[in-house]
Amino acid sequence: MEQPILEVEHLKKSYVSGTYVLEDISFSINKGEVVVIVGPSGCGKSTFLRCLNRLEEIDSGVLKLNGVSYEKEKKNISKVREKIGMVFQSYDLFPNMTIMNNLLLAPAKVQKKKKEEVRVEAERLLDRVGLLEKKDNYPRQLSGGQKQRVAIVRALLMHPEILLLDEITAALDPEMVREVLQVVLELAKTGMTMLIVTHEMEFARSVADRIIFMDKGYIVEENSPQEFFDHPQTDRAKQFLDSFHYEAVRK
Ligand code: ADP
């Protein structure tokens, strides 16, 4: 059987002692797979992604990257994080640096790569997301959607084995959502392994190999997009989908 890139066994997480935000999550994702997590606000989706990246400490459970557990890893945690890239709702570009310098920062500093080599790759990736001409601009000169595409390029430059996308279009105006989602769809076609949290149901349906529905700290359903959207199994999933007027995504 194929070795999953990422595996999670019985993950529990609380912020306040005795109240678990993640109750008992087990999950795995294979190379090249795109998994989308959906669920009501506050059900623990973002916490789950942050636990995977060890931005949050977990209470118990096992996290494995390529079969090697890393839930207790301290010394090499930055190496683990390089392999598990993450893009957030807020793009967090440095305002006083050009787009190119923002992109060169981490690969040069963290991975000790030669700037010139990274620059060539950064230009190629900027071109791919339609932003090559913005390389010498400052973040304030870009729209939210453009900044988010830069943030995706920044994550890709680290050559992650898996990308975690946490509601990356949630802060964008509707007309910019599509241009960012288009980049993610293209990435999926190139075989990038991705775990995506989104409220964009139509996008979820088109990009996902598998949908995970979370509620109250549990994975309640796990299915193909078609099955999940057309035949949700639980009342909770049905209610959730109804709240999105999901007729729009029923093909
Ligand atoms: P989702 O991404 O599904 O909206 P979150 O993972 O952001 O859910 O939040 C899950 C629950 O954990 C919520 O009740 C939220 O208020 C709580 N929570 C999230 N982050 C923290 C934190 N840093 N400290 C305390 N509680 C938190």
Side-chain angles (χ1 to χ4, degrees), residues 136-170:
D136 298 320
N137 285 65
Y138 286 86
R140 66 172 179 279
Q141 297 169 307
L142 271 64
S143 71
Q146 290 172 331
K147 280 187 270 205
Q148 194 55 288
R149 283 184 276 157
V150 171
I152 294 171
V153 168
R154 179 180 55 188
L156 291 176
L157 277 171
M158 303 297 278
H159 295 270
E161 290 191 34
I162 174 168
L163 256 191
L164 313 178
L165 307 183
D166 190 7
E167 295 203 38
I168 62 168
T169 60

Side-chain angles (χ1 to χ4, degrees), residues 51-90:
C51 285
L52 293 179
N53 203 308
R54 289 275 309 276
L55 294 172
E56 300 286 353
E57 285 308 316
I58 68 174
D59 292 42
S60 62
V62 177
L63 307 174
K64 285 185 193 165
L65 181 66
N66 294 316
V68 180
S69 67
Y70 66 94
E71 72 279 357
K72 295 193 179 74
E73 185 61 64
K74 286 205 163 63
K75 221 169 68 211
N76 291 317
I77 190 63
S78 62
K79 284 268 167 265
V80 171
R81 290 212 182 102
E82 282 174 39
K83 293 184 181 150
I84 307 175
M86 192 150 174
V87 184
F88 301 89
Q89 186 177 322
S90 55

Side-chain angles (χ1 to χ4, degrees), residues 5 29-35 82-87 125 128 152 155-165 183-196 207 209:
I5 287 194
I29 181 167
N30 289 330
K31 191 172 165 51
E33 214 184 352
V34 177
V35 176
E82 282 174 39
K83 293 184 181 150
I84 307 175
M86 192 150 174
V87 184
L125 288 171
R128 218 165 89 190
I152 294 171
L156 291 176
L157 277 171
M158 303 297 278
H159 295 270
E161 290 191 34
I162 174 168
L163 256 191
L164 313 178
L165 307 183
V183 167
V184 180
L185 282 166
E186 295 293 326
L187 267 180
K189 279 189 213 149
T190 67
M192 187 77 214
T193 312
M194 287 187 280
L195 182 57
I196 302 173
V207 80
D209 297 310

Side-chain angles (χ1 to χ4, degrees), residues 216-227:
K216 301 193 174 90
Y218 289 98
I219 292 179
V220 178
E221 289 193 28
E222 195 168 350
N223 225 328
S224 68
Q226 193 165 0
E227 277 302 302

